Amino acid sequence: MTTATRAPSARAWAEAFAEASNTDAEIQAHGKYFTCSYLLDAAERSYVIQVESGRVTGIAVDPGPLDVPYQFAIRASAQTWREFGTPVPAPMFHGIWSATFRRDMRLEGEVLVLMQNLRCITRQIELLRIVGSPV
């Protein structure tokens, strides 16, 4: 008999993600101007991640539509985010561009802000391989 593993709580995931991002050498090296707020939408759960000068300063868990403003959204199914959260993601789950071309990921909102911060956002998504899926 196997025991089902349970994902950490949303708050625990948010804290782990903030810690991983704030201590990541690559983000800190590139993130001087990495300032934005974005929605990471995993269908079952959503997070607004607020970043100032390369540091995560807040993460709102399951905010209402008008609770916390954000500039752009990265939306995908819970299963897609689970695939991103594996140590070695399968093809097409290794980056946001591949997932938008072949999977169910969508980029919405002020895409210019996403592009201006692309290297750091990409690195934050790569950190899911360490902290796990947000759902």
Side-chain angles (χ1 to χ4, degrees):
M1 183 165 139
T2 61
T3 305
T5 58
R6 187 163 179 220
S9 72
R11 179 57 36 210
W13 179 88
E15 290 170 5
F17 181 79
E19 175 70 18
S21 183
N22 290 343
T23 59
D24 185 73
E26 185 175 333
I27 291 175
Q28 297 315 303
H30 293 285
K32 182 177 181 180
Y33 301 106
F34 178 29
T35 298
C36 64
S37 183
Y38 66 95
L39 176 73
L40 192 152
D41 183 359
E44 297 172 8
R45 184 144 329 271
S46 63
Y47 304 85
V48 173
I49 300 167
Q50 299 165 307
V51 182
E52 293 179 30
S53 301
R55 296 194 54 80
V56 174
T57 58
I59 298 181
V61 177
D62 292 331
L66 301 175
D67 289 347
V68 183
Y70 56 88
Q71 294 159 302
F72 61 90
I74 304 173
R75 300 181 191 277
S77 69
Q79 185 56 38
T80 293
W81 287 114
R82 287 183 189 110
E83 293 288 338
F84 268 87
T86 61
V88 180
M92 307 314 284
F93 293 105
H94 63 280
I96 60 174
W97 297 116
S98 60
T100 58
F101 293 143
R102 299 288 182 193
R103 302 292 177 206
D104 67 349
M105 186 168 277
R106 296 179 322 278
L107 308 174
E108 301 173 353
E110 295 180 45
V111 178
L112 175 60
V113 176
L114 169 64
M115 297 304 289
Q116 290 168 331
N117 296 288
L118 185 59
R119 181 61 222 140
C120 291
I121 297 289
T122 298
R123 180 61 188 149
Q124 281 189 327
I125 299 302
E126 290 170 354
L127 291 174
L128 296 181
R129 298 173 189 167
I130 298 166
V131 299
S133 169
V135 288

